[in-house]
Amino acid sequence: MSVRQPPRKTTRFRQLLNSTGLEFLLEAHNGITAKIVEEAGFSGIWAGGLCMSAQYGVRDSNEASWTQVLEMLEFMADATTIPILLDGDTGYGNFNNVRRLVRKLEQRGVAAVCIEDKLYPKTNSFIDGDKQQLADVDEFCSRIKAGKDAQADDDFAIITRVEAFIAGWGLGEALRRAEAYHAAGSDGILIHSALSRPTEVLAFQKEWAGRSPVVIVPTKYHGTPTEVFREAGFSIAIWANHLLRSAVVAMQDTARTIFRDQNLQSVEDRIAPVKELFRLQGASELQEAEERYLPRQQARSRAVILAASRGSALGELTEQRPKTMVKVRGRPLLSHIVSAYNAAGIKRINVVRGYLPEAVDLPALTYTDNRDYADTSELVSLAMALDADPDDSMDLYVSYGDVIFNRYILDALRESDDEISIVVDTEWRESVNRGRAADYVTCTQPHSRRTFYQPAFLERAAEDLPEDRIHGEWMGFLRVSSSALPRFRAVVAAMAADPANRLAKLHHLLSSLVDRGERVRVHYTTGHWLDVDSLEDVVAAGSFA
Ligand code: SPV
Ligand code: MG
């Protein structure tokens, strides 16, 4: 099946040039103005030397190099779908420079070039036009021929600009030159005039009698009704500098106002909103592309850290601060946890505080305060955090304020295809031997090589499982994908609403999820985390961090 391609920009310019009606090009001088021209409805763009040089802050006298012009043209071509006609001045040199120019323009997606019969470096036609020296006709024809021979695309157009009127010569010289350029292969004539009435261009058009399309630039004879140009049969009228001239007035006014007022109040309503710049830049396309190309969790995850308890087992260390703010290697535990989340691209983090909330004050976090922390437990804290942020568009990670971990743990969860997943440590015996409180789990199968191919799911989580049923220790990490978040939220809210669950822990929630038919995927791992419950753990945390 063949896919029909839209016509090339070169072809579209040629259609404009050869169409029977009068067509219009408007000036643009950078990417955003090119886009504005296209959005206004124009079928083509004039990349004028006057405005391209002015936007660089230099004169229209080849002070900006031709490659600097080329750079800007590339932005303009990328930003638009309509053809660009470059004002190529004199072609920036002789025949050799012109043929290289043509090849480069084709490579950058420029549809056509106009070259004028003057000498490099040129000057703008409206500055002392009659002092300007015209090129030798034969030499200029060599520029045209070399340019035409260089083009790879048959539809690329070379317009030749006759400056005879500008330089003070008459109609005869203009026609003699136009005839020679036409014979050399020029695709159309731009006849220029600095008079305030269109007498010269109309006289030329009459005598030329349609030997090739004729383009005009009515900057000086701006009072002429467009109907006159149409009736005379001109091919294209170029509005050559009007965007930059309008922008200059607007910018001067804004600059003066802000300077005078030293505030933004009087300009804000008169200028484009920032959103409009984003739109012109195509920001939404990038957002869509990010959805398509970036790992989903990285851009769309948030975390809740449960850190309400004091941690009385740490004694004096938690007299002035809760456990999550106890320092390990000079930084609070919480800061280590936040760094691990940040390293995994998770920036939106809510911390549930309880004991001495004002002591938990790290920047760039949001906080939810559980004032009943002394009489409630983890489930209630989690319910409060979920209530405080009803956003279900992001995946949710939950962990504890006293568990430090390696980023690897989050990666294991991130790669999970299941809606609800947990990480379980296979080295649970040490906790049993030391008699420490831990959340043990029974799964559909113990850890083995098989679990790589055949995933394990949670059956039960509790602190008091019989040893022969323990498959691992849950370290408190839970990931709920955005798709499961509304269901998850409902279960948490229902459980938290029951006064019997005031002291429920997260392992109760896990078991309850399983009882309600949710599949909780288990990822087995070994190590990479540390639960700080005792002074001994604080010391161990020093070497872990
Ligand atoms: C330009 O826009 O740079 C032109 C047209 O060449 S004019 O300024 O009228 O010469
Ligand atoms: Mg120019």
Side-chain angles (χ1 to χ4, degrees):
M1 193 183 74
S2 77
V3 180
R4 189 184 288 244
Q5 298 286 333
R8 299 189 306 277
K9 289 180 178 180
T10 49
T11 309
R12 290 170 67 184
F13 181 78
R14 210 160 256 284
Q15 285 163 357
L16 294 181
L17 189 65
N18 295 332
S19 81
T20 47
L22 178 65
E23 306 282 350
F24 303 97
L25 305 185
L26 178 63
E27 168 266 322
H29 47 273
N30 56 26
I32 199 166
T33 52
K35 182 115 193 178
I36 287 170
V37 171
E38 175 165 12
E39 286 190 349
F42 283 90
S43 318
I45 293 166
W46 169 248
L50 172 60
C51 293
M52 299 277 276
S53 57
Q55 63 81 35
Y56 277 121
V58 297
R59 289 166 284 227
D60 188 12
S61 305
N62 297 118
E63 291 182 346
S65 74
W66 72 275
T67 53
Q68 287 170 324
V69 172
L70 197 61
E71 284 288 305
M72 187 58 86
L73 285 168
E74 186 170 41
F75 282 103
M76 295 165 65
D78 285 348
T80 50
T81 64
I82 54 176
I84 298 173
L85 168 61
L86 168 66
D87 172 6
D89 293 342
T90 58
Y92 314 111
N94 69 2
F95 78 94
N96 189 37
N97 303 90
V98 172
R99 56 188 188 160
R100 184 165 168 78
L101 173 68
V102 167
R103 283 197 294 268
K104 292 293 142 189
L105 291 177
E106 287 191 311
Q107 287 166 8
R108 306 280 174 121
V110 176
V113 66
C114 174
I115 54 173
E116 63 197 60
D117 54 357
K118 293 202 301 236
L119 301 179
Y120 181 91
K122 51 82 46 117
T123 313
N124 186 275
S125 302
F126 301 143
I127 301 174
D128 290 338
D130 52 358
K131 292 202 188 112
Q132 301 196 19
Q133 200 189 336
L134 296 186
D136 171 80
V137 173
D138 291 336
E139 187 277 321
F140 190 70
C141 285
S142 76
R143 292 185 226 169
I144 302 168
K145 284 185 196 139
K148 291 306 292 177
D149 286 345
Q151 73 187 56
D153 180 337
D154 285 345
D155 282 345
F156 185 90
I158 298 185
I159 308 294
T160 48
R161 167 163 156 183
V162 174
E163 289 279 282
F165 290 135
I166 297 289
W169 300 86
L171 179 61
E173 181 66 12
L175 286 166
R176 182 177 82 86
R177 285 176 170 267
E179 189 54 60
Y181 306 160
H182 182 52
S186 152
D187 296 297
I189 301 293
L190 189 157
I191 186 72
H192 207 17
S193 167
L195 300 186
S196 59
R197 298 177 60 78
T199 40
E200 289 174 332
V201 297
L202 287 173
F204 176 87
Q205 174 70 351
K206 185 152 174 267
E207 289 301 318
W208 185 247
R211 273 171 270 181
S212 72
V214 177
V215 179
I216 52 170
V217 183
T219 304
K220 289 285 176 176
Y221 43 99
H222 53 77
T224 311
T226 298
E227 222 26 59
V228 172
F229 306 142
R230 196 170 273 124
E231 273 164 21
F234 289 116
S235 161
I236 294 177
I238 296 175
W239 316 121
N241 42 48
H242 302 81
L243 283 196
L244 184 56
R245 284 167 61 195
S246 69
V248 163
V249 172
M251 290 193 286
Q252 285 170 333
D253 180 50
T254 301
R256 281 192 211 108
T257 306
I258 295 177
F259 180 77
R260 183 194 63 211
D261 296 355
Q262 297 192 351
N263 68 50
L264 302 173
Q265 278 133 36
S266 42
V267 298
E268 188 58 30
D269 292 344
R270 296 195 283 133
I271 59 181
V274 173
K275 253 184 22 217
E276 175 62 359
L277 299 188
F278 293 155
R279 190 192 66 78
L280 285 163
Q281 290 172 305
S284 60
E285 191 280 336
L286 177 56
Q287 281 169 333
E288 284 157 28
E290 282 171 350
E291 289 287 317
R292 241 176 302 131
Y293 297 117
L294 293 182
R296 214 164 62 88
Q297 291 83 346
Q298 219 165 38
R300 304 187 52 249
S301 298
R302 64 188 178 100
V304 168
I305 300 173
L306 303 174
S309 69
R310 167 178 169 179
S312 334
L314 299 192
E316 273 182 14
L317 275 184
T318 58
E319 256 169 29
Q320 315 279 323
R321 60 190 71 80
K323 185 161 54 165
T324 198
M325 293 303 281
V326 167
K327 283 194 179 164
V328 166
R329 289 237 176 138
R331 288 203 288 149
L333 280 175
L334 182 59
S335 163
H336 291 281
I337 295 168
V338 168
S339 296
Y341 273 117
N342 288 171
I346 300 169
K347 307 265 170 60
R348 185 157 142 189
I349 299 172
N350 182 256
V351 179
V352 182
R353 303 184 290 198
Y355 175 71
L356 298 182
E358 60 286 348
V360 186
D361 58 356
L362 298 188
L365 303 173
T366 58
Y367 295 101
T368 302
D369 290 339
N370 177 0
R371 290 180 209 293
D372 295 334
Y373 75 94
D375 306 314
T376 60
S377 192
E378 298 152 6
L379 178 79
V380 171
S381 286
L382 177 62
M384 287 181 174
L386 292 180
D387 272 355
D389 187 350
D391 182 357
D392 283 346
S393 70
M394 298 177 142
D395 295 346
L396 174 74
Y397 290 75
V398 181
S399 69
Y400 292 127
D402 59 354
V403 174
I404 54 176
F405 56 91
N406 195 301
R407 191 199 141 161
Y408 162 84
I409 300 285
L410 298 179
D411 291 340
L413 284 174
R414 188 215 308 279
E415 281 152 23
S416 179
D417 295 330
D418 292 85
E419 288 191 303
I420 304 179
S421 352
I422 60 174
V423 198
V424 163
D425 195 340
T426 53
E427 287 194 347
W428 50 275
R429 280 196 187 277
E430 201 194 318
S431 293
V432 172
N433 293 343
R434 285 168 60 200
R436 66 187 283 165
D439 294 334
Y440 299 107
V441 295
T442 304
C443 307
T444 49
Q445 55 180 317
H447 173 63
S448 74
R449 279 191 208 148
R450 269 210 346 240
T451 45
F452 185 78
Y453 305 101
Q454 231 176 57
F457 294 94
L458 181 71
E459 283 185 344
R460 179 129 312 271
E463 288 174 55
D464 55 358
L465 283 180
E467 265 191 59
D468 60 352
R469 293 197 52 210
I470 297 179
H471 291 147
E473 178 180 351
W474 180 49
M475 335 78 113
F477 286 95
L478 168 67
R479 173 179 163 269
V480 183
S481 72
S482 58
S483 57
L485 209 45
R487 292 183 340 250
F488 179 78
R489 184 189 286 288
V491 173
V492 173
M495 284 182 76
D498 182 348
N501 287 327
R502 297 286 284 170
L503 294 175
K505 303 262 184 82
L506 285 197
H507 67 77
H508 293 113
L509 170 63
L510 288 184
S511 292
S512 179
L513 285 165
V514 173
D515 291 344
R516 289 166 200 242
E518 293 288 351
R519 277 166 26 125
V520 177
R521 171 77 186 271
V522 170
H523 295 271
Y524 284 113
T525 179
T526 303
H528 294 285
W529 69 292
L530 192 81
D531 184 1
V532 180
D533 283 336
S534 62
L535 287 171
E536 207 185 342
D537 294 334
V538 175
V539 176
S543 26
F544 181 92

